[in-house]
Amino acid sequence: MSDDDNSPISARAAKQLFAELRSAPALVLAVSGGPDSVALMWLAARWKRGLARGPQLTVVTVDHGLRPEAAREAREVKRLAAELGLAHRTLRWLGAKPDTGLPAAAREARYRLLAQAARNAGASHVLTAHTRDDQAETLLMRLVRGSGLAGLSAMARLTERDGVVLVRPLLDVPKSQLIATLRRAKIGFADDPTNRDTAFTRPRLRALLPQLAAEGGDSRSLARLAGRLARANAAVDVLVDGAERFLQLRARGDAPQAGVRSFEASAFVNLPEEVRLRLLLRAVNALGHEGPAELGKVETLLAALDQALAASPRAAANGRPFLKQTLAGALISLAGGRIHIAPAPARRSKGRMRADEGGS
């Protein structure tokens, strides 16, 4: 870790962190009370004071209702926000909590509430306090789960979600530098024990980082790797865009069907595997109605298509469907020398089926 990683962030450096947001009408700051988000709030408030005119800042704390200390921490954030001259709101995640997948469900709830708060405040952007350390941990989590190139790109600085833009201005900043900034300013922060709870994946991987750092795999190098993978992922996406246009040109003489994507099988099969995979993924996610498709299942679908085309290209050219599968609410078929992707018929619930059967 360099000396810079332990030095407070200067006013000039903070100005660069937020420079692209100067003309935004209003911004929402996601602040939980931990060191990263408290530093985000303090730095943003100092940046705003240095502007003749700037965005309206609103601090939002989401209380997930999972820890008894959360309400007190939200009140402390409200107190500090008031000292900094910022408006504050606390939003609560109400209702039953899932027994499994709690971190993911809490994350979805947090982003949904933040987007709602942004719309209510007339804000174009929501700022979160993800750091370089978070980027490294995210890369490791996705690596052990076998993510593809897009997943290994980890977090982007800008992401559109629920109609607002999520901004991570601290994504290149180490957590240690944020803590140094707060200590210099004599500002306290909360300590969330769940960040060390080894019942969850992220804290377990976080505990490995010192050993990885000793081998050269510190947060700086891991974040740099995520950036390089993001660069490669963007390049592949350009190739997929080109392939999509190529296949559309090949289909120019065919009458298009509303709500259906169709690829000429002979042209599709000659494209690189990663490009074919992403074309299928795009089509399934666009036309399916059961959420994003899992990468592994799309890989299985592509293998089935390749096997069908290789085994009997003549049969695949007939008008009768030679292969028919559903995935994530999309229906994929191979017929007439073309691969068709369309919305699958909605599944009837078991209760509805019993009612229908009882009435016959």
Side-chain angles (χ1 to χ4, degrees):
M1 182 180 294
S2 69
D3 291 340
D4 288 345
D5 288 352
N6 292 302
S7 62
I9 297 173
S10 67
R12 170 181 276 185
K15 184 178 180 180
Q16 292 301 313
L17 292 174
F18 303 108
E20 65 192 295
L21 302 168
R22 181 172 181 169
S23 60
L27 303 172
V28 161
L29 310 177
V31 182
S32 65
D36 304 347
S37 61
V38 169
L40 172 70
M41 175 172 61
W42 189 83
L43 289 166
R46 183 173 65 173
W47 164 70
K48 171 70 184 303
R49 286 196 301 269
L51 300 176
R53 294 181 61 185
Q56 178 68 36
L57 303 183
T58 301
V59 178
V60 174
T61 303
V62 176
D63 181 354
H64 295 91
L66 301 175
R67 297 183 298 111
E69 304 89 353
R72 174 179 53 79
E73 291 167 1
R75 289 193 298 271
E76 184 60 24
V77 173
K78 181 177 181 179
R79 181 195 64 77
L80 181 56
E83 289 181 4
L84 296 171
L86 304 180
H88 177 272
R89 291 187 63 196
T90 296
L91 302 179
R92 292 174 176 83
W93 181 26
L94 304 176
K97 310 299 188 291
D99 294 328
T100 60
L102 184 59
R107 183 170 58 252
E108 287 299 315
R110 179 167 65 252
Y111 283 129
R112 185 178 67 251
L113 291 169
L114 288 169
Q116 175 186 321
R119 288 190 289 269
N120 292 340
S124 53
H125 299 71
V126 171
L127 277 61
T128 66
H130 292 101
T131 67
R132 192 174 75 193
D133 302 68
D134 296 317
Q135 183 75 306
E137 292 164 10
T138 300
L139 174 65
L140 289 177
M141 287 182 68
R142 295 181 180 180
L143 181 66
V144 298
R145 290 174 180 173
S147 292
L149 184 58
L152 293 175
S153 301
M155 294 181 286
R157 180 179 171 84
L158 299 174
T159 308
E160 192 279 332
R161 190 180 183 118
D162 294 334
V164 300
V165 179
L166 291 180
V167 187
R168 301 177 176 95
L170 308 179
L171 201 55
D172 294 327
V173 179
K175 184 186 188 79
S176 56
Q177 198 170 13
L178 297 178
I179 292 175
T181 301
L182 294 178
R183 286 175 176 164
R184 169 74 64 83
K186 295 182 171 53
I187 294 176
F189 50 84
D191 176 30
D192 184 352
T194 59
N195 288 329
R196 299 183 298 277
D197 187 348
T198 55
F200 300 114
T201 304
R202 188 177 286 270
R204 291 198 300 271
L205 291 174
R206 184 178 296 137
L208 297 176
L209 281 172
Q211 300 174 54
L212 291 174
E215 300 295 333
D218 59 7
S219 65
R220 184 188 299 274
S221 62
L222 291 173
R224 184 168 57 241
L225 173 60
R228 288 170 174 168
L229 292 170
R231 190 173 63 209
N233 182 60
V236 174
D237 264 341
V238 171
L239 295 178
V240 178
D241 291 341
E244 203 162 32
R245 289 192 294 271
F246 166 72
L247 291 172
Q248 288 169 356
L249 288 172
R250 297 279 296 187
R252 194 162 47 187
D254 299 325
Q257 294 177 265
V260 176
R261 292 194 185 183
S262 178
F263 306 134
E264 183 184 53
S266 60
F268 178 85
V269 76
N270 289 320
L271 294 170
E273 184 176 357
E274 180 68 16
V275 172
R276 287 182 286 135
L277 183 69
R278 293 193 187 208
L279 286 169
L280 286 177
L281 185 61
R282 285 185 183 185
V284 169
N285 286 342
L287 298 171
H289 48 76
E290 294 180 3
E294 295 178 22
L295 178 60
K297 292 182 178 180
V298 182
E299 289 171 334
T300 301
L301 170 64
L302 178 60
L305 284 169
D306 286 347
Q307 184 176 6
L309 287 166
S312 184
R314 183 173 299 176
N318 293 332
R320 180 173 51 85
F322 181 63
L323 179 144
K324 203 171 185 179
Q325 292 190 10
T326 58
L327 175 60
L331 176 64
I332 301 93
S333 59
L334 175 60
R338 303 191 67 81
I339 299 164
H340 304 279
I341 302 97
R347 299 180 185 180
R348 292 191 298 175
S349 67
K350 291 182 179 179
R352 173 68 182 274
M353 290 175 68
R354 284 196 293 269
D356 290 345
E357 291 164 1
S360 60

